[in-house]
Amino acid sequence: MRTQPTLLVVASHNKNKIREIKDLVADLSFKVVSIEELGDFPDIEEDGATFKENARKKALETAQHVHQLVLADDSGLEVDALNGAPGVYSARFAGEPTSDERNNQKLLALLEGVEPDKRGAQFRCVMALADPSGRVEYAEGICRGSIGFTSQGENGFGYDPLFLVPEYGKTFAQLGPELKNKISHRGRAMEQMKKILQAYEKSLNSC
């Protein structure tokens, strides 16, 4: 039986995202660390056409660098009135250097004059779990909502202050982290991924 927790490396430099993932897997026996905690590794260019392509690339290449189990995700906002944009370009929607404030301002400008019932949107998250052998497994989560007219709330990050969750009448940024983690795209993807991690954990413990 294994007594030491298995290392789970999160292939991200986003401290908010890493914190969310740590909270979501707190009931498992993995020791979650960020890529930065293991050393100075080259950035991986996210040049895929889909969230799945980007997540796969980050997970596989990072697993090859660190020789550990790696979890990567790619996520973003898909706005109905913008034909699914910003999508995979969510983080850099307003250009480089990336800025949540400028991204939100651009989104509001593009939706100026759009009626409330036409402002539907969804957050999508695709997670990829890769081991050094090249095996990859996936999970996906979606959270539907709409885009508000002004920023509301102090919690969260990215587009959270604009993303209204209809069943609560609040933005992601107005919800506490515990509730957001339960209903968010990342939370829903992680619920699927946790089943994969539990199976992986069980196989290791049986060795």
Side-chain angles (χ1 to χ4, degrees), residues 1 5 32 40 58 84 93 109 149 162 194:
M1 297 287 290
V32 180
D40 185 17
K58 287 190 288 185
F93 192 38
F149 289 86
L162 294 179
K194 280 174 73 172

Side-chain angles (χ1 to χ4, degrees), residues 5-188:
T6 303
L7 208 62
L8 177 63
V9 181
V10 180
S12 175
H13 298 285
N14 186 318
K15 290 180 173 58
N16 294 301
K17 183 182 293 187
I18 294 164
R19 185 180 65 249
E20 281 191 358
I21 290 173
K22 283 185 175 181
D23 289 343
L24 288 164
V25 300
D27 57 336
L28 300 182
S29 63
F30 290 91
K31 180 182 179 182
V32 180
V33 299
S34 70
I35 183 67
E36 291 178 339
E37 294 177 68
L38 298 184
D40 185 17
F41 297 96
D43 289 336
I44 297 170
E45 184 179 4
E46 298 179 34
D47 53 3
T50 65
F51 295 122
K52 185 175 183 179
E53 288 178 7
N54 282 333
R56 175 184 173 83
K57 183 178 182 181
K58 287 190 288 185
L60 273 176
E61 291 192 14
T62 303
Q64 290 166 1
H65 285 309
V66 301
H67 306 291
Q68 299 285 349
L69 187 66
V70 172
L71 178 67
D73 88 328
D74 196 33
S75 56
L77 181 68
E78 299 172 324
V79 180
D80 299 348
L82 302 180
N83 297 314
V88 295
Y89 304 106
S90 292
R92 51 193 185 279
F93 192 38
E96 300 285 354
T98 59
S99 164
D100 289 348
E101 183 178 355
R102 289 194 297 111
N103 287 340
N104 287 332
Q105 289 173 350
K106 179 176 180 178
L107 179 60
L108 288 175
L110 290 173
L111 293 179
E112 187 173 356
V114 177
E115 296 298 320
D117 62 345
K118 304 293 184 184
R119 299 171 77 93
Q122 63 187 25
F123 272 119
R124 183 190 301 272
C125 172
V126 177
M127 290 185 169
L129 183 72
D131 64 25
S133 74
R135 173 180 155 190
V136 187
E137 298 194 62
Y138 304 95
E140 182 173 353
I142 291 173
C143 183
R144 286 291 301 178
S146 63
I147 303 302
F149 289 86
T150 59
S151 293
Q152 299 180 72
E154 301 297 328
N155 298 313
F157 57 98
Y159 298 95
D160 286 359
L162 294 179
F163 187 77
L164 287 162
V165 185
E167 56 263 47
Y168 294 96
K170 295 180 179 181
T171 67
F172 265 175
Q174 291 174 304
L175 300 176
E178 184 176 350
L179 178 55
K180 180 193 170 185
N181 284 344
K182 286 182 180 178
I183 67 171
S184 74
H185 52 307
R186 187 168 293 111
R188 291 170 176 173

